[in-house]
Amino acid sequence: MERSPAGTATSIVIFGASGDLTERKLIPALYTLHRTGRLPDPLNIVGISRTPYSHEDFRDHLCEFATEVLEEDCNNDAWNDFAQHVYYHAGNSTNADDYAKLDEFLQSLENGPANRLYYLSVAPNLYVPIVKNLGKQGMAREKDGCWRNIVVEKPFGHDLKSAQELNDVIHHVFDEHQIYRIDHYLGKETAQNILFFRFANTIWEPVWNRNYVDHVQITVLEEVEVGHRAGYYDHAGVLRDMFQNHLLQLLALVAMEPPASFNADALRNEKVKVLSAIRPIQPRDTVRARYEGYLQEPGVVQNSMTATYGALKLFVDNWRWQGVPFYLRSGKATGVRSSEVVIQFKSPPHMMFNQLTNDGNFKPNTLSLCIQPDEGIHLKFEAKVPGSHQETRSVDMDFHYRESFGTGSLPDAYVRLLLDALNGDASLFTRSDEIEMAWRLIEPVLDAWEQENTPRLAVYPRGTMGPIEADEFLSRDGRAWHAGCEDHE
C-alpha cells in the first residue's frame, strides 16, 4: 500500500456499529491504540447501523462498554479526546440510496482526499450487499494517492462454493491487496510467537521435522456452551466455526517452511503450500460429538445433528512432515478454556535408564505452545530424582509472558490486527486462495458428517474433555491426548 500524502485524513467506517463485536472489541481496541499514540491523525471513526443515535449518545453508549471491557473508567481526558473522533451515521446496509448520503457525510468530515478502512462487523448475509453498494457508489476506488481497504470478519463462506462466490463478488469491487479477511486467532501474540519461536532461534529448526517429531496435537477447547449464538451455531457446527479457520491457521504456522522474508506475500505463500500438501481427510480419521443438553438450547432445531466437538487426524505430505500425524480437536462445554499446540518428540532409540512408563514405553519429551489462557511455552523433559538409583521424573522448563513482560503485556488481538490493516500489512490476514484451500480440506468431512452421518454422532457430558470416542481415536494409534498447558498451571 502506497503512503498517502502527509496530513491525509483516515476514516474507519464500521458497518454494524451497534453490535457486540464493535462494542466489546473494535472500539476498545481503537481506544487502546489512541492512548498509545498509534492511530493516524487526522482520524474519523464512523459507526453505521439502523439504530437511531446522536453522536453524543453513541459515544456515551460505547464508553459504557469500554469501561466494562478494559476494567477502567473511560470517563477521562483520554476517552474524551478519543470520543471527539467518533461519529454515528444511521443507515440501512441493504439500501443503495443510503450510500450516497454516507459518502457525503464522510466527505464532510474528511475535508479533502482521505484513506478509508471499511469494517464489516455485520452478519455474513450482509457482506454482499454492502460490497456491491460500496462499488456502485464508487466508494471502493483508490484515488488521489489514498487507499480504500475492507476488513471482512469470519465466517468467510459456508462452504467452498459460497466462499468462491463471495470472493468473486468482493474481487469485482476491491482488488485482493485491498481485502483483509480477519481471523482474530492470528492476532494473538502467542500465535504470532509460534513463528518467532521457530525462526528466531537456531535450536528448534533442526528437530522440527519427521526425524524427531512423533506427532503434533492442536487443541482449542471452550468452557462455554453455545449460549446466545445457538441460532448461528446450529447451522455452522464445530467444523465451520473452528476448524476451517482457527485450527488450520495454527497448523499452517506450525508446519510451514521458513519464508524468505517476513512480508505478507512470502508468509502467506508458505501457508498455502502447507494446506495444499495436506492429504484428503478420511471420515474414519474423524470424531464428532455434541454435549448433553445441546438439543434443549434456545435456537437449536429439533432433531439437530450439529456437532459441538470434533477431532481430526491430518497428514502433511511433504519432505518435512511425511508420516507425522497432526491431531486437531475442538469442542464446547468442555469444562476448560484452553488453546495450545503440543509437539511430542520421538522416544530415544535405546534407553539405558529405567525410564519406562506403566505401559512399557519411554516417557516422551513434549513441547507445549500455550496460546490461552496460560500464555507461554513449556518443555517437558526427564531428570534424575535426587538420591535414587535410576528413577526419573518429568520436569518443566517454562516461560510465561506475564512473568517476563508484565501483566499488561498481551494486548487484545484486535489491537494488532486493526493497526496492521491501517498500515497496509496483510501478513496476519487470510488470502483468497488460502480460504478456498481450507474449505477444500474441510468440505468432504462436512459432507460425510451431514449427508452420510459418518462417523456416528457421539454425546459427552458437559464439563468433560470431550467424548470417550476421542480418547479411543488416539489410543488406536498408541497415543493419548496431552493436557499440555493445563498440566503447568
Side-chain angles (χ1 to χ4, degrees):
M1 185 170 67
E2 296 182 2
R3 294 182 63 87
S4 304
T8 300
T10 298
S11 295
I12 302 174
V13 184
I14 303 175
F15 293 91
S18 60
D20 193 64
L21 177 64
T22 300
E23 296 163 345
R24 296 187 177 277
K25 291 295 184 181
L26 302 185
I27 292 300
L30 290 170
Y31 175 49
T32 299
L33 290 170
H34 169 78
R35 286 190 305 180
T36 53
R38 289 181 286 174
L39 286 178
D41 183 36
L43 174 72
N44 309 298
I45 301 170
V46 179
I48 302 166
S49 71
R50 291 181 293 182
T51 306
Y53 280 121
S54 67
H55 299 317
E56 285 301 325
D57 288 342
F58 185 55
R59 293 163 183 168
D60 291 343
H61 174 75
L62 295 177
C63 181
E64 293 178 13
F65 281 94
T67 296
E68 178 184 340
V69 171
L70 299 175
E71 298 180 347
E72 61 178 73
D73 187 0
C74 287
N75 190 16
N76 55 42
D77 291 342
W79 174 265
N80 292 334
D81 182 56
F82 170 74
Q84 296 309 305
H85 302 278
V86 179
Y87 303 89
Y88 186 80
H89 182 81
N92 187 335
S93 299
T94 62
N95 188 343
D97 294 337
D98 283 0
Y99 285 75
K101 299 174 185 176
L102 171 61
D103 196 27
E104 183 180 349
F105 177 68
L106 291 173
Q107 291 183 42
S108 71
L109 296 175
E110 295 161 346
N111 196 28
N115 303 310
R116 289 184 191 171
L117 179 68
Y118 301 111
Y119 201 111
L120 304 191
S121 178
V122 294
N125 65 304
L126 294 177
Y127 293 168
V128 168
I130 291 174
V131 169
K132 286 184 174 179
N133 285 324
L134 288 173
K136 289 177 182 177
Q137 189 59 33
M139 298 171 70
R141 289 197 301 269
E142 298 176 330
K143 54 187 176 181
D144 300 322
C146 298
W147 48 262
R148 298 283 191 274
N149 294 339
I150 186 167
V151 179
V152 185
E153 275 281 345
K154 83 170 189 75
F156 198 90
H158 189 73
D159 51 23
L160 176 59
K161 184 175 183 291
S162 60
Q164 291 172 327
E165 291 172 347
L166 182 54
N167 273 329
D168 288 344
V169 169
I170 299 180
H171 284 149
H172 188 71
V173 178
F174 292 90
D175 293 333
E176 179 62 31
H177 75 272
Q178 298 175 269
I179 307 166
Y180 291 73
R181 300 170 190 82
I182 195 168
D183 183 341
H184 72 271
Y185 256 66
L186 294 184
K188 294 180 181 292
E189 288 286 342
T190 39
Q192 298 168 48
N193 195 47
I194 295 173
L195 294 179
F196 287 84
F197 178 79
R198 289 186 57 193
F199 303 133
N201 300 288
T202 59
I203 63 173
W204 295 113
E205 201 58 18
V207 298
W208 208 266
N209 56 60
R210 60 185 171 83
N211 296 320
Y212 297 95
V213 174
D214 178 78
H215 72 276
V216 178
Q217 297 181 17
I218 302 177
T219 295
V220 178
L221 297 178
E222 298 179 279
E223 188 174 9
V224 299
E225 299 159 7
V226 293
H228 69 277
R229 297 178 70 229
Y232 155 76
Y233 195 92
D234 199 45
H235 288 90
V238 69
L239 286 180
R240 293 184 177 93
D241 193 49
M242 297 300 296
F243 282 81
Q244 184 272 334
N245 38 71
H246 300 332
L247 273 78
L248 285 181
Q249 287 293 325
L250 292 176
L251 182 150
L253 295 179
V254 171
M256 64 184 280
E257 296 296 322
S261 61
F262 194 77
N263 65 59
D265 283 339
L267 184 65
R268 297 193 290 184
N269 286 344
E270 296 302 334
K271 288 165 64 183
V272 170
K273 288 179 186 177
V274 170
L275 297 179
S276 301
I278 294 177
R279 189 185 307 170
I281 306 166
Q282 301 302 315
R284 65 176 178 273
D285 288 332
T286 71
V287 173
R288 65 175 182 138
R290 67 169 177 235
Y291 62 81
E292 289 179 347
Y294 172 75
L295 294 179
Q296 284 70 55
E297 297 281 13
V300 173
V301 300
Q302 190 177 10
N303 300 322
S304 170
M305 296 297 288
T306 297
T308 63
Y309 179 100
L312 309 179
K313 178 167 70 171
L314 293 79
F315 290 94
V316 180
D317 286 336
N318 60 19
W319 275 54
R320 181 186 290 266
W321 296 112
Q322 188 66 39
V324 176
F326 286 72
Y327 298 99
L328 280 57
R329 64 171 170 167
S330 181
K332 286 189 172 295
T334 59
V336 297
R337 174 174 171 260
S338 178
S339 298
E340 64 186 35
V341 176
V342 178
I343 314 293
Q344 180 170 312
F345 294 97
K346 290 184 176 181
S347 298
H350 172 70
M351 182 59 66
M352 57 185 175
F353 305 115
N354 182 23
Q355 199 197 17
L356 298 181
T357 59
N358 291 334
D359 59 5
N361 296 317
F362 294 134
K363 296 177 183 177
N365 302 131
T366 59
L367 176 69
S368 301
L369 308 176
C370 306
I371 298 169
Q372 67 178 19
D374 176 34
E375 296 93 347
I377 300 171
H378 304 273
L379 177 64
K380 180 180 290 186
F381 58 96
E382 296 305 303
K384 179 180 177 294
V385 175
S388 70
H389 179 55
Q390 292 190 15
E391 183 183 355
T392 63
R393 182 180 300 169
S394 296
V395 296
D396 292 321
M397 185 181 295
D398 57 19
F399 152 72
H400 296 266
Y401 264 91
R402 286 178 172 81
E403 290 180 3
S404 298
F405 296 106
T407 56
S409 60
L410 290 171
D412 185 81
Y414 282 93
V415 173
R416 168 65 186 271
L417 294 171
L418 280 167
L419 184 61
D420 283 357
L422 289 167
N423 290 333
D425 184 352
S427 300
L428 299 178
F429 296 83
T430 313
R431 206 166 58 190
S432 60
D433 54 346
E434 192 176 347
I435 286 279
E436 294 179 15
M437 184 57 65
W439 276 120
R440 286 190 177 93
L441 289 168
I442 294 299
E443 191 168 63
V445 182
L446 278 169
D447 290 343
W449 285 15
E450 296 176 355
Q451 299 177 23
E452 302 170 20
N453 196 27
T454 303
R456 181 182 63 87
L457 182 65
V459 177
Y460 60 98
R462 303 182 199 216
T464 65
M465 295 293 284
I468 188 65
E469 286 82 354
D471 296 328
E472 295 169 348
F473 178 58
L474 258 68
S475 67
R476 294 200 311 252
D477 296 344
R479 300 182 174 101
W481 293 108
H482 290 281
C485 301
E486 290 289 311
D487 287 344
H488 308 287
E489 292 187 340

